[in-house]
Amino acid sequence: QKEVEQNSGPLSVPEGAIASLNCTYSDRGSQSFFWYRQYSGKSPELIMFIYSNGDKEDGRFTAQLNKASQYVSLLIRDSQPSDSATYLCAVYHSGNTGKLIFGQGTTLQVKP
Amino acid sequence: DAGVTQSPTHLIKTRGQQVTLRCSPKSGHDTVSWYQQALGQGPQFIFQYYEEEERQRGNFPDRFSGHQFPNYSSELNVNALLLGDSALYLCASSFGTGNSPLHFGNGTRLTVT
């Protein structure tokens, strides 16, 4: 079992729709969760982080965390073609502070 | 406010050679982490430096080594390069060794022929 799992996609949504990206993690004690966006050929860019159960909203982005289910998601409302990128989920382990573990990423395609 | 800077941007080396990659952290950050990202994969943790010491290490062989300087900048050295070392090498900085967000540089694209 991978430590952080994501569906590689591609996830294709029409412009203006809600894109839902999902991630599961194996370490039940994990406390900190991050979403990065990576455009092709570029480096990852931090877009959201969440530490507590529930939802956290920032503009068109909402991160959702359910520690009991070991599940974190990212919702992108009013998706734009410029949102087309790979979205990386990352988790810090509970017993290995400092080692941020990434999933393989989900490729999102927003079609005009 | 300067972000994380990495050099060089691109590098082509021959199998068996050695390479040194450099990183300057974001202003105010004192911790540097290095990642390797193969095409189509997520970044893989190599190691983390704090207070000039290696604090955490991922599953990489001893051919991968590093250093952190008193000004918090860092180097990644890879010896005896293999074709499989071809990847995007990412440096990320943060403050302290807690669970703070990492901020990435633009990366160094290493090609081993």
Side-chain angles (χ1 to χ4, degrees):
Chain A
Q1 180 188 10
K2 292 183 180 179
E3 295 172 290
V4 179
E5 293 204 57
Q6 297 181 254
N7 187 321
S8 60
L11 172 66
S12 183
V13 300
E15 183 175 357
I18 296 175
S20 177
L21 304 159
N22 305 315
C23 171
T24 59
Y25 58 94
S26 62
D27 182 0
R28 184 168 290 278
S30 294
Q31 298 294 320
S32 308
F33 308 86
F34 304 85
W35 283 99
Y36 286 81
R37 177 176 63 200
Q38 187 173 28
Y39 292 112
S40 181
K42 303 296 184 182
S43 63
E45 172 193 9
L46 178 69
I47 53 174
M48 290 284 292
F49 58 88
I50 185 168
Y51 300 146
S52 303
N53 271 333
D55 295 358
K56 179 182 179 182
E57 186 174 317
D58 184 1
R60 296 187 295 113
F61 298 97
T62 298
Q64 298 176 317
L65 175 60
N66 184 325
K67 289 185 179 180
S69 300
Q70 295 175 240
Y71 177 90
V72 58
S73 64
L74 179 70
L75 301 179
I76 306 175
R77 290 181 299 281
D78 188 22
S79 295
Q80 301 297 308
S82 59
D83 294 326
S84 298
T86 296
Y87 289 80
L88 297 161
C89 172
V91 177
Y92 273 117
H93 274 203
S94 57
N96 210 357
T97 298
K99 184 177 177 180
L100 186 62
I101 306 299
F102 285 82
Q104 71 175 58
T106 298
T107 299
L108 173 66
Q109 297 174 346
V110 181
K111 304 204 169 181
Chain B
D1 182 18
V4 181
T5 59
Q6 290 187 245
S7 63
T9 305
H10 295 87
L11 206 51
I12 299 175
K13 289 287 189 178
T14 303
R15 191 172 49 186
Q17 287 187 316
Q18 178 264 345
V19 67
T20 297
L21 310 181
R22 296 177 174 82
C23 172
S24 292
K26 180 181 169 70
S27 178
H29 287 181
D30 56 7
T31 303
V32 172
S33 301
W34 286 93
Y35 285 81
Q36 180 194 67
Q37 187 175 26
L39 204 60
Q41 301 298 316
Q44 298 294 310
F45 178 80
I46 302 175
F47 41 54
Q48 181 189 72
Y49 277 85
Y50 173 71
E51 293 186 335
E52 302 180 48
E53 291 187 7
E54 183 182 294
R55 299 288 177 162
Q56 299 284 345
R57 188 177 182 93
N59 295 324
F60 280 81
D62 292 344
R63 297 187 298 109
F64 290 77
S65 64
H67 189 75
Q68 186 179 34
F69 299 94
N71 67 351
Y72 309 122
S73 66
S74 177
E75 288 182 349
L76 164 65
N77 301 294
V78 186
N79 294 323
L81 284 167
L82 303 175
L83 296 179
D85 294 331
S86 295
L88 179 66
Y89 288 84
L90 295 162
C91 170
S93 72
S94 57
F95 179 73
T97 57
N99 295 344
S100 56
L102 299 187
H103 296 262
F104 284 89
N106 290 330
T108 294
R109 172 72 62 186
L110 173 64
T111 302
V112 182
T113 61

